[in-house]
Amino acid sequence: MRLTLLAPLDGWVSPLEEVPDPVFAQRMMGEGLALDPTGGTLRAPCDGTVVTVHRARHAVTLRADCGVEILMHVGLETVALGGRGFTVHVAEGAAVRAGDALIDFDMDLLAIEAKSLLTPLIIAGGPAARIVDARTGARVRAGEVLLTLLVQAEGAMTGGGGDRAWQAEQSVVLPLAHGLHARPSAMLAAAAKPFAAAVFLAAQGRRANAKSAVAAMSLGLRHGDALTVVAEGEDAAAAVAAVAAAITAGLGETPVPVAEALPVPSLPSAAAPPHDEPPVLDAQPPFTPGETVVIRAVAAAPGLALGRAFRVQDEEVEVPATGLGEASERQALAMALERVRARLAAAVAHADETRQIQRRDIFQAHLAILDDPDLLDEARAAIAGGAAAGPAWRGATDRSAAALRALGNPRMAERAADLIDLRRQVMLALAGREPQPVILPHGAILVAEELMPSQLSNLDPSRLAGFCTARGGPTSHVAILAASMGVPALVAGGAAVLRIPDDAPLILDADRGLLHVQPPAEDLAKLERETTRRKARAEANLTAAAADCVMADGTRIEVYTNVGKVADAVKGVAKGAEGCGLLRTEFLFLDRQTAPDEDEQAAQYQAVATALAGRPLIIRTLDVGGDKPLPYLPLPREENPILGLRGVRIGLRRPEILRTQLRAILRVRPVGQCRIMIPMVSTLDEVRAVRDMLDQEREALGHAPPVQLGVMVETPAAAVTADQLATEADFLSIGTNDLTQYVLAMDRGNPDLAARLDALHPAVLRLIRQTADGAAKHGRWVGVCGALASDPAAAPLLVGLGVTELSATPPAIPDIKAALRPLNKAACVALAQEALAQESAAAVRSLLARAGMVAAVTEGAA
């Protein structure tokens, strides 16, 4: 059949190859034309349905009645306008008639701020179609015939002589719980590469080269999304069959039936778009000499470091801006890529030999990116157009990095840093230079806008005390490397990091997310003295830590440890832990393709209980969802997973998982050692539902003795109704990390808010007091197992608020006990009353510093 498309706007028609953007000019998104508009209204070129309206309002996709999908993209690089200058007249799912207004746009604004007004019209999906008649090099008015398509029946193939290619396609649904992320994208590319045919993925009005892992990732496909595998070439049918089968089989992951996930409505078209580029950090003068500053950042690798600032700047590598001809520049690029490839292969081999698995995996991923066909094709196309090898490679990597950032997914944005790292390495090779190892002074604390994995891996860890970056994320590859090297690290500290003077004294406290810049001379001298005495003091505190924590007036405070695996329990006991206040059972469920069965869970819980040698063990039931998804536990796509299916909500939605876990816990011996804790509780009926399950499983196992069932107080709802929860729960334990983010309405994974997310905010402290008061009405004890419990300075304050149990990281336990033993409860209560009256977290911290309770104990222990 034939489909006639009308001109969607007034303007001049050009061939697609004249568009100054290789994504369109090289037909990576499909065949089509481009229009240079002379009018500011985009109209429907045919009858159909609106499939998508981009969040930035600059692009719309229609599906014609025959199934062909038409993408219209107003201007080039207009996504950066964030919707400014665009007015959308239609919504996704709306039926439109040819000529209906879709989008109005401000031509004057676009002419000034956009790269170009050229508006591509692309045949982006649906049944195979080819252009048989089109107007180019002419002026058209909206509503005039623009082109005619010959549309084939679904699944049909065409072939013949000349330059006509065989075509085939097949529609599938993505069965991957985490969507099309890096690993399955690489496997998809591997499945497509053996075929001569060009293979594409078409979805949501966009098309990507299936042989390019980066391009496939940039589609941002999620579990349950429909897509079409399209191939063009002599072996198209075989290519489509192989790639579609690989997708259906899970691309190396366990496929999850789409029926198990709930539908989620699409984002509204007017939603704010993600940024294609990271925001520019404001340039400000350095801090003045002696100016004391405390920068809050996001912890990437734990630890405490004392040292001096050593600035790392990513120098711009100078390469020729003009080329010596296509053949010469292609050869230069090939040689540079080979030099980097050899260096990465050597790094992989060394990591294999030394069993540095995380380091090996990172550099293997870099090797895969280096061989990405889309990156190479785009760079070579730019070279063919007259560009030198350096600018061509820079443009290709920058464009792919921007595509990953534009997905609005923090982890994908962190992968964009890998592309920038490879850009730098190849540019160095093009300049004829080798990466030069930086000679660090002893005790260097690096400060930089952002560090790259290749930069960090070339540093001498014996001289590196730690680092803090203005950008970056806690799951970036450089953060993973830092943890594997044992280097304390902070990321996402913001523009303030760039103001740190060279050689400024620093205290990097990655455990608390703080960087102290140019601390007062007396404080620094005190800390330096303290550092020299630390070993002796630590030994003294450790010796005393074996005894129970009893305050000077006889008040008993239980100091437990947080555990994520059996080894943590051993470390905790060695540091004086009196039990385990939080066993994070996620360690059993993450990084695997199937859920652990009852026997495996029971064995692991028993191992932790045995390591604790009879001490109390509080096991938190599975806390996933939000930022901790599982490949075998499909969840619906959510605009805000942090407020969605998490914690106990998952257990009640999938009771078979929760019941299996409860049975495994009940099998631990000796009977009575284990207590059970429910995460993310917000209502009393959730506690009752789990209590009913627990009683049923106890009865089924013949487990007569009652088992204590507690709740985690992580939501404001749980804190303000603690008196109600305490009627059913045997104890309450406060998770200050989540409670703080919900009270302050700040996502704790957002680096832009890291400096303001503080559990010592008076609002959080008041909810801790309210929790303790509510629990006391029913004789229930209250603990804290969040990060605040690991802060010795906060321990007296928490005791004064009514907390009687602290569950901390193993290294903090001796200091917490040492801080509390000389104090009395009345002094702690007075401190808490004063803290509740403060106006900010900073004021509370100042109060604690003035109170000097912990400092006095520290000095006395020296």
Side-chain angles (χ1 to χ4, degrees), residues 517-530:
V517 182
Q518 300 181 147
E522 60 273 19
D523 289 355
L524 188 60
K526 179 180 176 180
L527 183 61
E528 288 174 343
R529 291 194 304 270
E530 180 67 19

Side-chain angles (χ1 to χ4, degrees), residues 20-240:
D21 186 328
V23 173
F24 294 111
Q26 296 175 30
R27 293 172 168 77
M28 293 169 61
M29 301 189 73
E31 290 288 344
L33 298 170
L35 297 98
D36 194 354
T38 57
T41 299
L42 182 74
R43 300 182 181 276
C46 62
D47 296 348
T49 303
V50 178
V51 179
T52 60
V53 179
H54 194 279
R55 295 175 180 176
R57 310 179 203 175
H58 68 300
V60 61
T61 302
L62 299 184
R63 181 180 294 116
D65 294 338
C66 63
V68 169
E69 294 182 354
I70 305 105
L71 166 67
M72 289 160 285
H73 189 288
V74 180
L76 302 180
E77 299 186 8
T78 43
V79 68
L81 296 177
R84 288 189 299 115
F86 295 95
T87 302
V88 177
H89 297 294
V90 293
E92 294 177 353
V96 296
R97 302 296 301 272
D100 285 353
L102 304 176
I103 299 173
D104 285 339
F105 53 95
D106 185 337
M107 291 184 61
D108 293 337
L109 176 68
L110 267 62
I112 295 172
E113 298 198 23
K115 178 180 179 180
S116 170
L117 282 169
L118 274 177
T119 298
L121 180 149
I122 304 294
I123 311 306
R130 61 188 175 92
I131 300 173
V132 293
D133 187 25
R135 295 180 65 176
T136 57
R139 181 173 182 173
V140 296
R141 298 190 65 84
E144 294 179 355
V145 173
L146 180 66
L147 59 84
T148 302
L149 299 173
L150 182 61
V151 183
Q152 301 168 14
E154 287 281 354
M157 294 189 298
T158 64
D163 59 358
R164 294 167 60 198
W166 291 94
Q167 296 181 349
E169 65 180 62
Q170 182 177 335
S171 295
V172 295
V173 175
L174 193 69
L176 306 180
H178 297 306
L180 200 55
H181 58 94
R183 189 182 301 108
S185 293
M187 297 198 67
L188 174 71
K193 283 179 181 177
F195 297 94
V199 187
F200 302 92
L201 302 181
Q204 302 173 352
R206 296 185 294 154
R207 194 162 84 152
N209 181 0
K211 297 181 180 181
S212 163
V214 173
M217 267 195 298
S218 69
L219 286 175
L221 296 179
R222 303 180 180 183
H223 180 264
D225 282 348
L227 66 145
T228 303
V229 183
V230 182
E232 301 168 356
E234 293 185 1
D235 55 358
V240 165

Side-chain angles (χ1 to χ4, degrees), residues 723-808:
D723 57 336
Q724 296 179 3
L725 298 178
T727 63
E728 287 286 345
D730 296 306
F731 62 91
L732 291 79
S733 185
I734 302 170
T736 53
N737 301 0
D738 272 316
L739 181 61
T740 302
Q741 78 166 341
Y742 291 133
V743 170
L744 301 182
M746 296 179 184
D747 182 355
R748 62 190 176 105
N750 186 332
D752 292 332
L753 300 175
R756 301 172 60 192
L757 199 69
D758 194 329
L760 288 177
H761 191 287
V764 180
L765 300 181
R766 292 185 184 195
L767 287 182
I768 294 174
R769 162 60 68 83
Q770 193 165 353
T771 300
D773 289 346
K777 291 180 181 179
H778 302 279
R780 311 303 191 194
W781 62 265
V782 172
V784 174
C785 59
L788 193 59
S790 296
D791 184 351
L797 174 57
L798 292 174
V799 170
L801 292 171
V803 172
T804 61
E805 181 257 5
L806 299 171
S807 190

Side-chain angles (χ1 to χ4, degrees), residues 123 344 405 709:
I123 311 306
L344 288 172
R405 292 191 189 104
L709 180 67

Side-chain angles (χ1 to χ4, degrees), residues 537-547 814 821:
R537 185 169 63 242
E539 291 175 353
N541 285 351
L542 181 58
T543 301
R821 284 189 179 122

Side-chain angles (χ1 to χ4, degrees), residues 268-291:
S269 60
H275 293 290
D276 282 323
E277 297 293 338
V280 176
L281 297 175
D282 294 336
Q284 298 183 36
F287 298 122
T288 58
E291 181 181 359

